[in-house]
Amino acid sequence: MRTPLGSLSPLRLLAASSPLYDDDGADAGRLRAAMLGAVMRMTPLVMVANVGCALVIVWAFAPALPRGIGVWAALLAATAAVPLRAWWRGRGRVHETVSRRAVRQATWHAAALAALWAVVPLAWFPGAAPHQQVQIAIVTTGMMGAGAFLLNPLPRACLAYLAIYSVAGVGALLADGNPAFAGVVAMLAFYASVLAFGALAAGYRHLALLRSQAETARQQRMLALLLQDFEQHADEALWQTDAEGRLVHVSPRLAELLGLGAEALVGRPLLALLDERGVADDPGREALRRALADVRSVRDLPLRLAVGGQVRHLAVRAKRVFGETGQAEGWRGVLADVTERVLDQQRLHTMAHTDALTGLANRLTLTDALAACLNEGRPGALLLLDLDDFKEVNDTLGHSAGDELLRGVAQRLREGLRPGDLVARLGGDEFAVLMQHSARIEDAEALAARLGAAIAAPFEVMGRQLHIGGSVGVAPIRAPAASAGGAGPTVDELFIQADSALYAAKEAGRGRHVVHTPGLGERTRRRAAIERALAQAVTHGELSLHWQPRVEIASWNVVGAEALLRWEAPDLGNVPPAEFIGVAERCGLIEPIGRFALQRACAEAAAALGNLVVSVNVSPLQLRAAGFVDLVRDVLRDTGLPAARLELEVTEAVFGEGGGVEAVAQLHALRDLGVQVALDDFGLGPASLACLRRFPFDTLKIDAAFVGGASGHGTQEEARALVQALARLAATLHMRTVCEGVETGSQLAALAAAGCEQVQGYLAAPPRPLALFGELLREWPQARPGVAALH
C-alpha cells in the first residue's frame, strides 16, 4: 500500500532515499543513474547561472571592490568548470548504472559550491550599503531556491547545499547587528525549512515514480516472454560470423532453416545466403545489412525466405562479438522460425476485420474505410441493408438455415457491386455498402434498387426455396464544400442518417429503399425517448435482472450464472439492452444503472444462488469512474456476498481512448478486493491479445461469433482452429475459458474437443427471472441433451 506523502516526516523522507547511498545492488545502481542523470542534464544552465550571479555580485560592489572578491570569483569559476567538464565528456552517453561514489561526489560538489557562495553574505553583507545588501539577499535566496529545486533528486546533496546557505545567511544577518534583521532571520530559517521539506518530498516522488516504472517494465517484459514462448513452436538457430561476415559456427537448426548442410554453410557470408533465399519484396534483408554496417545490435528483425518451395517467416537477432582485448571479432545471434506465429497473427487480423460467417468485411473494416473516405473528401454513399422476415427463417427452419441464407445474401451483394465499392456485414441480418465509384445520388439509388432486386430473388436453402426481401437506407456522402458550413458529417452521423433512412424504408414496406433527408428523424426521436425514459427507469423500478447459467462441459454442472439487465418501459415496452445501454453511456446514466445491476445481482446471489459465481457486466465508463472500486467494496459488505463469488466482465474497450492506465489500476484494485475479472467478447477486437498483456484475467469469454462457426466447414474450420488456439492460450495463462452463444450439440462437441471448459447459451438454458432460475437449478439434471454429443 502506498504511504500518503503528507504523513511522512522529513526524517522518513530522507530515509526513503537511503538505497541511493547505501545499496550496491543493480536496481539501486539504475536508480542512482536516473537521479544523477536528472541533475547532470541541467549542469550547463546551472553553472552558467552561477557565473552570471557571481558577476552580479562583483558589479554590485564596483568600482570599489572588496578585498578577495576577485579570488572568490576565480574559485567559483573553477568549481563550476568541474561539473561542466564532466558533463561535456559524458554528453550523448546514457549510463545504465552508477556507483555510490558518484552520488557522494555530487554531494561534495554541491557542498563546495554552497560553501563558496556562503563567503558572499558572511564576508561582504555586514557593513555593505543597503542596495548592495539587497542584491546579495536576492542572489542568495534565489540560489537557495533554484539549488533546492535542481538538487531534489539527490536528497543529501540538496540538504548539504541548503544547510550551508542557511547558516551563512543567518550568520550574515546576525553579524550585521541591525535589530531590524531579527525577523528576517526567522523568515530565512522558515524559508530554508520549507525548501528542505519540499525538496525531500519532490525527491521522494521522483524515486517512487522511477521504482514504479521499473516494476511495470519488468512485469511487461515477463509477460511478453511468456506470450512469445507460447506462440513460438520452433527452436532457435544459433549462428556466429567472423569480422568479414562469414559463418564460423552453424547449428543444425540453422542448416535446416536454410535448407543446406551444415558443412556447406561454414565459411559462407551470412548475408549472401539470405540474399539467395530471400523473397523479392522483403525489406528485412536490407535492414539487416544496414544494421550490421552501422554496428547496431538487431532484435527480432523480420525476414522472409523461400525454402523448399515455401515461404518461411524468420526473426533474427544479432549482437557484436568482442575478443578479450576488446577488438570486434564478428557477430553472434539466433535465427528463429516464427512462421506459425506470423500466420496466426495474420489469421487473427483477418478474423478481426472479417465477418466469420460470410467472409465479408466487418464493422471495423467498414468504419475505417468510411473514415478514410471522409478524411480524403471523396463523395459517395453509405447504404444500410436489413433483411425482411429473417427472424421468421431462423424461428421456423433453425439457425443453420439462417446462416446459409446469410452466406447466400453476402454472395449476391458481392456480385452486385462495382470495383471500388465495399460490402460488410454489421451483425445479425444487417449489411452495409460503401459506394465509392460515383458521387451521384442517382447512382446510389440505382445501386440500392439493384441490391434490393438481387435479394428479392428466391434462395435455395436446404432444399427449399425462400423468398425474402431487403430494405435499404441510403446516406449520401457529399464533398465538404457541398455541406453546410463546408464541413461534412462524421462517421457516426452517417450511420445515424443511414439508420434513420433504413427505418423509414422498413416502415414504407418490403423491398424499399429510402435516401436520407433532413426530415428523417424517427430513429433519432426514439433514442431521445429512450434517453428521457431511462432517467426514471431505476427510481420507478422498471429495471430487472434475468439469469443465465454457466455450465461446466465435463460434468454438466451449473458452476456460475450471469446477470443480464432487462427494461420494461411503460411507454416504450421491452427495450433490449443493445438499444438502451449505448444511450445510457452517451447521456451519463450508465453509472446509476450499473450501480443498480451490481447491487441487485449481489443481493439476489447472496440470498438465492448458493455458492454459484455470479457474473456482472461492467461498462468502460463505470470502470473508469473514480469511486467504482469503493462501490464494489460497499456492495459486497452490504449484501454479504463473498468477493470470490463475484466476477466482473469487461471488454477490451476499457483499454481504449486513453483510459488504459486508469483501467489497469482499477482492475488491480478490484483484484485486491478478491473479485474475479473476466475478459468478455474476446476475439472481436483488433487488440484482444494486447489486452492479455495488460492484465492477468481470471476468465476468457470467447465470443459467440467464433462459437457459431466452430462446428462447420470452410471458413468455420479457421474459427474452430482459432477457438482451440485461444483455449490453449488461456490454459497457458491460467485462465478458464467460457464459450458464449452455444446453441447446438455439435457446437458443444466441437468446443469440448478444442479444450474449452465452460459454456453458456440457449443449449443450457435461456435467461430467466430469479424465481424461474431457482426452479431451473432445483430441477437441473445431471445430463442434458447437449452432453450426448460429447460421447
Side-chain angles (χ1 to χ4, degrees), residues 201-212:
Y204 176 84
R205 286 193 296 267
H206 196 165
L207 187 62
L209 178 61
L210 289 174
R211 284 172 169 162
S212 175

Side-chain angles (χ1 to χ4, degrees), residues 688-727:
S688 293
L689 279 179
C691 295
L692 301 184
R693 301 180 64 178
R694 306 294 297 278
F695 184 79
F697 294 93
D698 299 286
T699 303
L700 202 63
K701 300 196 75 174
I702 300 176
D703 189 77
F706 301 120
V707 173
S711 60
H713 303 282
T715 57
Q716 283 69 29
E717 289 293 336
E718 296 181 359
R720 179 162 50 188
L722 184 57
V723 169
Q724 186 174 20
L726 295 179

Side-chain angles (χ1 to χ4, degrees), residues 581-592 594 618-628 650-651 653-657 659 662-663 666:
I581 290 297
V583 176
E585 290 180 329
R586 286 193 296 272
C587 68
L589 293 173
I590 193 62
E591 288 194 37
V618 176
S619 162
L621 294 179
Q622 281 181 271
L623 183 66
R624 294 177 193 143
F628 181 70
V650 300
T651 66
V654 302
F655 298 106
E657 301 178 5
E662 298 175 4
Q666 292 282 73

Side-chain angles (χ1 to χ4, degrees), residues 464-479:
R464 300 182 57 173
Q465 272 202 345
L466 299 181
H467 295 267
I468 62 169
S471 302
V472 183
V474 181
I477 305 174
R478 299 180 174 88

Side-chain angles (χ1 to χ4, degrees), residues 355-678:
D355 177 59
L357 177 64
T358 63
L360 298 178
N362 62 7
R363 182 183 291 271
L364 174 64
T365 304
L366 175 68
T367 301
D368 290 345
L370 189 54
C373 182
L374 294 176
N375 291 338
E376 296 168 11
R378 292 183 277 110
L382 174 65
L383 290 75
L384 292 187
L385 185 147
D386 191 82
L387 302 183
D388 299 325
D389 301 327
F390 176 75
K391 185 176 184 299
E392 184 177 342
V393 175
N394 267 343
D395 293 342
T396 56
L397 301 180
H399 288 279
S400 297
D403 291 347
E404 186 175 340
L405 176 59
L406 289 174
R407 285 191 285 267
V409 170
Q411 182 58 33
R412 292 190 184 179
L413 292 178
R414 285 193 195 96
E415 296 169 352
L417 299 184
R418 294 185 179 180
D421 295 342
L422 174 68
V423 59
R425 179 178 175 231
L426 303 183
D429 62 340
E430 190 173 11
F431 297 83
V433 172
L434 176 58
M435 188 192 80
Q436 304 179 85
H437 71 267
S438 173
R440 300 175 66 247
I441 191 59
E442 293 83 359
D443 291 336
E445 291 191 81
L447 176 59
R450 188 165 67 251
L451 296 179
I455 301 303
F459 288 87
E460 187 76 22
V461 176
M462 294 185 173
R464 300 182 57 173
Q465 272 202 345
L466 299 181
H467 295 267
I468 62 169
S471 302
V472 183
V474 181
I477 305 174
R478 299 180 174 88
S483 305
T490 65
V491 171
D492 289 338
E493 289 169 345
L494 277 174
F495 271 109
I496 292 173
Q497 293 174 8
D499 198 40
S500 299
L502 175 61
Y503 186 83
K506 294 181 77 70
E507 276 194 331
R510 293 170 54 94
R512 303 294 183 92
H513 68 269
V514 171
V515 178
H516 178 268
T517 61
L520 284 178
E522 182 59 33
R523 189 63 63 91
T524 303
R525 286 193 290 273
R526 171 166 173 82
R527 291 194 183 101
I530 289 175
E531 182 175 339
R532 288 193 299 271
L534 267 179
Q536 61 183 20
V538 177
T539 57
H540 288 200
E542 299 169 12
L543 297 176
S544 62
L545 294 181
H546 282 198
W547 295 88
Q548 187 173 38
R550 199 163 83 188
V551 182
E552 187 179 63
I553 295 179
S555 64
W556 204 250
N557 290 329
V558 177
V559 293
E562 181 175 1
L564 301 170
L565 196 60
R566 297 292 184 263
W567 179 27
E568 187 70 29
D571 298 328
L572 302 174
N574 184 13
V575 185
E579 190 174 7
F580 72 79
I581 290 297
V583 176
E585 290 180 329
R586 286 193 296 272
C587 68
L589 293 173
I590 193 62
E591 288 194 37
I593 291 175
R595 186 186 311 116
F596 163 82
L598 180 64
Q599 291 173 334
R600 178 64 62 86
C602 291
E604 293 185 357
L609 296 185
N611 293 321
L612 293 183
V613 174
V614 294
S615 302
V616 181
N617 290 280
V618 176
S619 162
L621 294 179
Q622 281 181 271
L623 183 66
R624 294 177 193 143
F628 181 70
V629 177
D630 293 333
L631 170 65
V632 174
R633 181 188 297 108
D634 294 342
V635 169
L636 292 173
R637 183 196 62 225
D638 296 342
T639 60
L641 183 71
R645 286 185 55 201
L646 176 62
E647 182 178 74
L648 299 179
E649 296 187 9
V650 300
T651 66
E652 71 173 68
V654 302
F655 298 106
E657 301 178 5
V661 175
E662 298 175 4
V664 171
Q666 292 282 73
L667 292 176
H668 279 293
L670 292 170
R671 173 68 61 77
D672 292 341
L673 294 180
V675 172
Q676 301 184 52
V677 183

Side-chain angles (χ1 to χ4, degrees), residues 169-188:
V170 171
L173 292 170
L174 295 177
D176 187 76
N178 189 340
F181 287 159
V184 179
V185 170
M187 290 175 59
L188 179 60

Side-chain angles (χ1 to χ4, degrees), residues 40 226 229 346 388 416 457 484 765 767 788:
M40 290 299 293
L226 289 174
D229 183 65
Q346 290 175 351
D388 299 325

Side-chain angles (χ1 to χ4, degrees), residues 59-104:
W59 174 78
F61 286 94
L65 296 177
R67 179 183 301 174
I69 197 168
V71 175
W72 170 82
L75 287 174
L76 183 68
T79 305
V82 173
L84 276 175
R85 179 173 176 268
W87 169 82
W88 180 260
R89 293 176 62 184
R91 70 191 189 284
R93 289 186 294 180
V94 177
H95 295 280
E96 294 293 332
T97 181
V98 299
S99 65
R100 292 187 296 163
R101 181 170 174 268
V103 293
R104 286 197 298 267

